[in-house]
Every structure is written in C-alpha cells, then in structure tokens.
Amino acid sequence: MDALTLTRPALAVIAALLASASALAAQDRPEPRPAEDAAAADVPVPAPAPQAFGLAGPFLAARMAVVENDFQAAARFFVQAVAHDPGDRFLQDSALVSLVSAGEIDRAVDLSRRIATDGEPTELSRLIQQAERVHRGDWDGLLADLGTPADTEAEADLLAGMMRGWALLGAGRASDALAEFERLAGSPGVAPMVNYHLALARAHVGDHEGAAALLAEETTGAHLLGFAARAQVLAQLDRRDEAVAMIEAIPGVEAEPQLLTLRDRLKAGQPVSFDVVRTPADGIAQVFLTFAAALASSPDPEPLSLIHARLAAWLSPETAEARLMVAQILQERQQFDLAEPEFDALRRMGQMRPAAELVRIETLTGAGRSEEAGKAALSLTAAYPDLPQAWIALGDVLRRQEKFAQAVPAYDKALNLLKDAPAEARWFPLYARGIALERSQQFDRAEADFLAAIEIRPEDASLLNYLGYSWIDRGKNLDRALALIEQAVALSPDDGYILDSLAWAYFRLGRYDEAVAPMERAILSMSEDPLVNDHLGDIYWKVGRHREAEIQWQRALSLEPTGTDDVDPDRIRAKLDRGLDQVLAEEAAAPAATDASAPAPQAAASN
C-alpha cells in the first residue's frame, strides 16, 4: 500500500507543473550536442563540454556516473567541474541534482547560496534555498521568497502555494494559511491532493471536525498516511469506535503493522495524539513527499522524484514515509549502499514496513546481493515473527543460496502460521518447501508437499513439471510422472525448462527417438544453458548421432559449467573421451556414484 496514492488527474497536473523544473533550467543552457549517450534517459542531453583545461575529465566522469546512477561519484565530479567553470548553469544544476540525490543536502545548500550570490539563481537552487529556510524556521523569509499568488507564475503556483500555506502557519497566520489552501483547492484536477493538506492544516490548528470531514472523502484520505491521519483525528473527537472500524475495513491492513498498532491503541483506550504533522516544517515535508510520490509513480519516472523525497526526509527525518520513499527510489536505481542507511533508520524508528521489506529482499536477491538479502529477511522475521510472508522470504533466500536444509524450517514456520489461512495462501510455501526438501534428499516429505500444492493449483505448469521430473529421476510412478510433465508442456508449451524435463523423461524411459524433438525445442530458448546442451548431446548419442553429440558436449564445456549448475565438466570430458555408453557402464559398476547429469527441474520457484 503506497503512503500517498494520487488520482490520475492530479498526476497529470503535477507532471505539467514540473515540466519546466524537470529540464533543470534548460532555458539557460546552450544548444545540446548530439546525444551520444541517448540511453541515459534519466538525464537531459548535456551542453557541449567546455574546452577549458582541467574541465573535460571531471565532466565526462560525472556524465558516466549519472548514467550509472552513481550519485556520490556524480556529485564529486560535477563539483570539480563547477570549480573550473563557476558560471555554467547546467554544471551548477547538475551538481545540485547529484548532491541532493546522494543525500549531501548541506553541501547542496552551500552551492545554492553561492549561485544566488554570483548571479540569478536557477529554479533548483531557489527550491533548495526555500527548503533551507524551512529548515531554519525562517517563515517570513520564505514567504517573501515565495511571493504572493499574483506574483507567482501559474505553472509553479501549486508547489509554491502549498508551501506558502504551511509557511503562513509557521508565521502564526492560521486564517491566511487555510484560505490559501482553499484557494488552491479550486484549481482543476488537484482538489483531492490540496484538500489532504488542508485537512492536515486544520487538524494542526485544532479544527478536528473540519479535518475529519475532508479526510472522510475517498479521493482525499484513502491512502496510508490519510488513514493514519483520519484515525488520529477521530481519536481527538472521541470517535474511537469509528476509527477502529475504518482501520479494520482497509484492504490489506494485515500487512500494515503501524495501522494495526494504532488500532490496538485506540481499542485499549490509550492516548492517541495527532502527530502525522507535528510542525509546519513537517507539513512542507509532506508537500515534497506528495510531489515525489506523483513523480515516482508516473509512467516515465522523473529524476526529480528523488530530489523531492530527499528534501522531505531532510526537513522531517522522523517522517517514516519520506525515508521509505528515498530508500525505495534508491533501491530501484540499484544504489543499495545509499538506500541501506534509510532502511536502517526505519528499523531504529520501529517503522519497518513489511511490504517494502519484502520488495527490498527480492530486489537484493535479484541483484546478487544474497548476503544482504539474508540479513534483511532475518531482520524482518525478528521484527514480525507472526508474519508468514517474512518466513517465506527467508526460506526463499536460503533456497536460492542452495541452503536447502536450512530453508525447510523457515517454510515450516510460515506454513504453521498459515494453517488456518485459505488454501490459496498455502500453495506457494508448500511448493517452495517441497523443492527444499527434494534438494536435501527428503523425498517422502517433498512428495507430500508437491501433491498438496497440486490439489490447490492443479494447473500450475512448473509445479506439475517439478513433481513429474522428481518421480522420473528416481524411477518412481513413471507413467503418472510422464503424464504430469506432458500436462505441464500442454499448459506452457514454450517453456524451455519444461521441454527439457519432457525430453529427459523420455530419455530415462529409453524412448530416445521421442526425446529428440522436445530437447531441440528446449535448446532454441536455452542455448546458453550448459545443462540443456549436455542433455541434447546425450540424446543425440543414444540415437546414433555421435558427431552431433560431441559438438553439443563441447558446446556445454565452452559455457564453463562449474558443477554448481548440475553439470559435471569432468563427466562431459569423460563422455568426449570414451563415449556415453562407456561412462554409463562405469557408473553402473559404481552405484554409489552420483549422476551429475540429472537436472534440477525448474527449481527457481517464485511467487
């Protein structure tokens, strides 16, 4: 569940309002050179690199860092470039973008001051200076900088107006603040977003009735922060039962422990204050967060989403949603080292969000950072020991690390927590535990899990394939096993893994001629898989195509199998040296040996 979910009209309006800001003062930039880095869609095509001595190196290094989303390196090199050419506005704004993105807000503030001192500030440097005034509590200075509505360009009026509303509250002018929000709410397409801030402002000044009425509107308060704010407001009005009922009716609320904790406090009659916004600075942080959410969720996410989220977190470091949005944007851009301090801060604040952590664990795993994924999964199970999804995530991490025996207890815990859950919630952990059990040689338990999962999802191709292959590999239930795999092929006819299983089933059953066609189809989509090439070689050998078999084995070796991918390179060399028949005879004479050629059937189950 998103902290802020904006309506489609609001997204469109915000995108239009920030179009000029996204260009980063493009009106002052020289004509761009041809886009040799057109793939770098996150950044505008740069101005021609000035030819001054000592500038080209930092500029080019900064550009490369931007392409790779390495904000810290980009900040370092752009700052060096600005030192060589202090008056270049494009370099100035690029340095500011990188500094703020890297979380170096104080350095960005210093640079924005120098820009203002040396000449006309850019849009971004002005925004950073305004945030700095908020940080210092200089409300009169901020109001002077923002100007009056008549002085503000129409396209920038929304952001400036919402900041002005909170600044008026900071300056002690509550009536003027509310009037400003009400004026903005009349703009087409943005009323729900502005009314949310109007509700927060009303609650902040003690008008809880007015705040409750606004937050009751679905388009205004139907998001995570809105639900929390409304529940807190209702508590001030002594309407706790209504607040509890509202929380319990939220779809998916069982995955939002913060709301559940708030519900429990309300039920127990414990004190509940309104703290979604504690100060006007928190309110402006929420403005930045609103814009960050809109920019991040647009079809073509804007680089400015991270800048707004960073400013929100800087102004209100205790606002968990701001820290979480920074962390998630950084994670999406593969900047895990920058994201980790934000996740750590959330854990220290007791604001770990299970849904976000689950995505984080999956992303870390996909990025090959399995050790960090494991630590994150362990932290999640420690924080929420009764959350089955946390234990499933831990089991998945361990299974992907091939720690199959260790994964089993994690899935045991998840399934125990899900014992009274609907069957559909149990099929995946049953399937995943079955894989871990099968790979740790606990075949009877694995078979029971696969059969139970198939009862729930009788047409899941990968599940049918896995059980069918497991039986074939152990010479058990051969007819039924082949039927399961054939059913899996019918359900997913182009899946290379399943076609490989079908061909290998025919091979194990001695039906070599029938194995050729599905294995050749499998190789079309899995030509870089050493296991499939090895299998095709074995099948070709058995149908008398020995030269083609040798080519496939050589191909498998050229793909550098390591033994951890179920392919034994020494066994392939033995087949090339002595032929498959001789190798099989030697293995039959030594029954304790492991058949390294047997594949693991599509073990990478994923939910």
Coordinates of all heavy atoms in Angstrom, one line a residue, residues 149 157-158 161-162 164-166 168 174-188 190-199 201-202 205 207 210-211 214:
P149 N 0.3 35.1 -4.5 CA -0.2 34.3 -5.7 C -0.2 35.1 -7.0 O 0.1 34.6 -8.0 CB -1.6 34.0 -5.2 CG -1.6 34.0 -3.7 CD -0.5 35.0 -3.3
D157 N 2.4 27.6 -9.4 CA 1.6 28.1 -8.3 C 1.2 27.0 -7.3 O 1.1 27.2 -6.2 CB 0.3 28.7 -8.9 CG -0.6 29.3 -7.8 OD1 0.0 30.1 -7.0 OD2 -1.8 29.0 -7.7
L158 N 1.1 25.7 -7.8 CA 0.7 24.7 -6.9 C 1.7 24.4 -5.9 O 1.4 24.4 -4.7 CB 0.4 23.4 -7.7 CG -0.1 22.2 -6.9 CD1 -1.4 22.5 -6.2 CD2 -0.3 21.0 -7.8
G161 N 2.2 27.5 -3.8 CA 1.1 27.8 -3.0 C 1.0 26.9 -1.8 O 0.6 27.3 -0.7
M162 N 1.2 25.6 -2.0 CA 1.2 24.7 -0.9 C 2.3 25.0 0.2 O 2.0 24.9 1.4 CB 1.3 23.2 -1.4 CG 0.0 22.8 -2.2 SD 0.2 21.2 -3.0 CE 0.0 20.1 -1.5
R164 N 3.4 27.9 0.6 CA 3.0 29.2 1.2 C 2.0 28.9 2.3 O 2.1 29.6 3.4 CB 2.4 30.1 0.1 CG 2.1 31.5 0.6 CD 1.4 32.4 -0.4 NE 2.3 32.5 -1.6 CZ 2.0 31.9 -2.8 NH1 0.9 31.1 -2.9 NH2 2.8 32.1 -3.8
G165 N 1.1 28.0 2.1 CA 0.1 27.7 3.1 C 0.7 27.3 4.4 O 0.4 27.8 5.5
W166 N 1.7 26.4 4.3 CA 2.4 25.9 5.5 C 3.3 27.0 6.1 O 3.4 27.1 7.4 CB 3.2 24.6 5.3 CG 2.3 23.4 5.1 CD1 2.0 22.7 4.0 CD2 1.6 22.7 6.1 NE1 1.2 21.7 4.2 CE2 0.9 21.7 5.5 CE3 1.4 23.0 7.5 CZ2 0.1 20.8 6.2 CZ3 0.6 22.1 8.2 CH2 -0.1 21.0 7.6
L168 N 2.7 30.2 6.1 CA 1.8 31.1 6.8 C 1.4 30.5 8.2 O 1.3 31.3 9.2 CB 0.5 31.3 6.0 CG 0.6 32.2 4.7 CD1 -0.6 32.1 3.8 CD2 0.9 33.6 5.1
A174 N -2.8 31.6 10.8 CA -3.6 30.4 10.6 C -4.7 30.6 9.6 O -5.0 29.9 8.7 CB -4.1 29.8 11.9
S175 N -5.4 31.7 9.8 CA -6.6 32.0 8.9 C -6.1 32.2 7.4 O -6.7 31.7 6.5 CB -7.3 33.3 9.4 OG -7.9 33.1 10.6
D176 N -5.0 32.9 7.3 CA -4.5 33.1 5.9 C -4.0 31.8 5.3 O -4.1 31.6 4.1 CB -3.3 34.1 6.0 CG -3.7 35.5 6.3 OD1 -4.9 35.8 6.1 OD2 -2.9 36.3 6.7
A177 N -3.4 30.9 6.2 CA -3.0 29.6 5.7 C -4.1 28.8 5.2 O -4.0 28.2 4.1 CB -2.2 28.9 6.8
L178 N -5.2 28.7 5.9 CA -6.3 27.9 5.5 C -7.0 28.5 4.2 O -7.4 27.8 3.3 CB -7.4 27.8 6.6 CG -6.9 27.2 7.9 CD1 -8.0 27.2 9.0 CD2 -6.4 25.7 7.6
A179 N -7.0 29.8 4.2 CA -7.5 30.5 3.0 C -6.7 30.1 1.7 O -7.2 30.0 0.6 CB -7.6 32.0 3.2
E180 N -5.4 30.1 1.9 CA -4.5 29.7 0.8 C -4.8 28.3 0.3 O -4.8 28.1 -0.9 CB -3.0 29.9 1.2 CG -2.0 29.5 0.1 CD -2.0 30.4 -1.1 OE1 -2.8 31.4 -1.2 OE2 -1.3 30.1 -2.1
F181 N -4.9 27.4 1.2 CA -5.2 26.0 0.8 C -6.6 25.9 0.1 O -6.7 25.2 -0.9 CB -5.1 25.1 2.0 CG -3.8 24.7 2.4 CD1 -3.3 25.0 3.7 CD2 -2.9 24.1 1.6 CE1 -2.1 24.7 4.1 CE2 -1.6 23.7 2.0 CZ -1.2 24.1 3.3
E182 N -7.5 26.7 0.6 CA -8.9 26.6 0.0 C -8.8 27.3 -1.4 O -9.5 26.8 -2.3 CB -9.8 27.4 0.9 CG -10.2 26.6 2.2 CD -10.9 27.5 3.2 OE1 -11.0 28.7 3.0 OE2 -11.4 26.9 4.2
R183 N -8.0 28.3 -1.6 CA -7.8 28.9 -2.9 C -7.3 27.9 -3.9 O -7.7 27.7 -5.0 CB -6.9 30.1 -2.9 CG -6.7 30.8 -4.2 CD -5.6 31.9 -4.1 NE -4.3 31.3 -3.9 CZ -3.5 30.8 -5.0 NH1 -4.0 30.9 -6.2 NH2 -2.3 30.4 -4.7
L184 N -6.2 27.1 -3.5 CA -5.6 26.2 -4.3 C -6.5 25.0 -4.7 O -6.4 24.4 -5.8 CB -4.3 25.6 -3.7 CG -3.1 26.6 -3.5 CD1 -2.1 26.0 -2.6 CD2 -2.5 26.9 -4.9
A185 N -7.4 24.6 -3.7 CA -8.3 23.5 -4.0 C -9.2 23.8 -5.1 O -9.8 22.8 -5.6 CB -9.0 23.2 -2.7
G186 N -9.4 25.0 -5.5 CA -10.3 25.3 -6.6 C -9.6 25.1 -8.0 O -10.3 25.2 -9.0
S187 N -8.3 24.8 -8.0 CA -7.7 24.5 -9.3 C -8.1 23.2 -9.8 O -8.2 22.2 -9.1 CB -6.2 24.5 -9.1 OG -5.7 25.8 -8.6
P188 N -8.4 23.1 -11.1 CA -8.9 21.8 -11.7 C -7.9 20.7 -11.5 O -6.7 20.8 -11.7 CB -9.1 22.1 -13.2 CG -9.1 23.6 -13.2 CD -8.3 24.1 -12.1
V190 N -6.6 19.1 -8.9 CA -5.7 18.9 -7.8 C -6.5 19.0 -6.4 O -5.8 19.0 -5.4 CB -4.6 19.9 -7.8 CG1 -3.8 19.8 -9.1 CG2 -5.1 21.4 -7.7
A191 N -7.8 19.1 -6.4 CA -8.5 19.3 -5.2 C -8.3 18.2 -4.2 O -8.0 18.5 -3.0 CB -10.0 19.4 -5.5
P192 N -8.3 16.9 -4.6 CA -8.0 15.9 -3.6 C -6.7 16.0 -2.9 O -6.6 15.9 -1.6 CB -8.1 14.6 -4.4 CG -8.9 14.9 -5.6 CD -8.6 16.3 -5.9
M193 N -5.6 16.3 -3.6 CA -4.3 16.5 -3.1 C -4.2 17.7 -2.1 O -3.7 17.6 -1.0 CB -3.3 16.6 -4.2 CG -1.9 16.9 -3.7 SD -0.7 16.9 -5.1 CE -1.4 18.2 -6.1
V194 N -4.8 18.8 -2.6 CA -4.7 20.0 -1.8 C -5.6 19.9 -0.5 O -5.2 20.3 0.6 CB -5.2 21.3 -2.6 CG1 -5.2 22.5 -1.7 CG2 -4.2 21.5 -3.7
N195 N -6.8 19.2 -0.7 CA -7.7 19.0 0.5 C -7.0 18.1 1.5 O -7.3 18.3 2.7 CB -9.0 18.4 0.0 CG -9.9 19.5 -0.6 OD1 -9.8 20.7 -0.2 ND2 -10.8 19.1 -1.4
Y196 N -6.2 17.2 1.1 CA -5.4 16.4 2.1 C -4.6 17.3 3.0 O -4.6 17.2 4.2 CB -4.6 15.4 1.4 CG -3.6 14.6 2.3 CD1 -4.1 13.8 3.3 CD2 -2.3 14.8 2.2 CE1 -3.3 13.1 4.2 CE2 -1.4 14.2 3.1 CZ -1.9 13.3 4.1 OH -1.0 12.7 4.9
H197 N -3.9 18.2 2.3 CA -3.0 19.2 3.1 C -3.9 20.2 3.9 O -3.5 20.5 5.0 CB -2.0 19.9 2.2 CG -0.9 19.0 1.7 ND1 0.3 19.0 2.4 CD2 -0.8 18.2 0.7 CE1 1.1 18.1 1.8 NE2 0.4 17.6 0.8
L198 N -5.0 20.6 3.4 CA -5.9 21.4 4.1 C -6.4 20.7 5.4 O -6.5 21.3 6.4 CB -7.1 21.8 3.2 CG -8.2 22.6 3.9 CD1 -7.7 23.9 4.5 CD2 -9.3 22.9 2.9
A199 N -6.7 19.4 5.2 CA -7.1 18.6 6.4 C -6.0 18.5 7.4 O -6.3 18.7 8.6 CB -7.5 17.2 5.9
A201 N -3.7 20.7 7.9 CA -3.5 22.0 8.4 C -4.6 22.3 9.5 O -4.4 22.9 10.5 CB -3.5 23.1 7.3
R202 N -5.9 21.9 9.1 CA -7.0 22.1 10.1 C -6.7 21.3 11.3 O -7.0 21.8 12.5 CB -8.3 21.7 9.4 CG -8.8 22.6 8.3 CD -10.2 22.3 7.9 NE -10.7 23.3 6.9 CZ -11.2 24.5 7.2 NH1 -11.2 24.9 8.4 NH2 -11.6 25.3 6.2
V205 N -4.2 23.0 13.6 CA -4.7 24.2 14.4 C -5.8 23.8 15.3 O -6.4 24.7 15.9 CB -5.0 25.3 13.4 CG1 -3.8 25.7 12.6 CG2 -6.2 25.0 12.5
D207 N -8.8 22.2 14.4 CA -10.1 22.1 13.8 C -10.3 20.6 13.4 O -10.2 20.3 12.2 CB -10.3 23.0 12.6 CG -11.6 22.9 11.9 OD1 -12.5 22.2 12.4 OD2 -11.8 23.5 10.8
G210 N -13.4 19.8 11.0 CA -13.2 20.1 9.6 C -12.2 19.1 9.0 O -12.4 18.7 7.8
A211 N -11.2 18.7 9.7 CA -10.2 17.8 9.2 C -10.9 16.4 8.9 O -10.6 15.8 7.9 CB -9.0 17.6 10.2
L214 N -13.0 16.3 5.7 CA -12.1 16.3 4.5 C -11.5 14.9 4.3 O -11.5 14.3 3.2 CB -11.0 17.3 4.6 CG -11.5 18.8 4.4 CD1 -10.3 19.7 4.7 CD2 -11.9 19.0 2.9

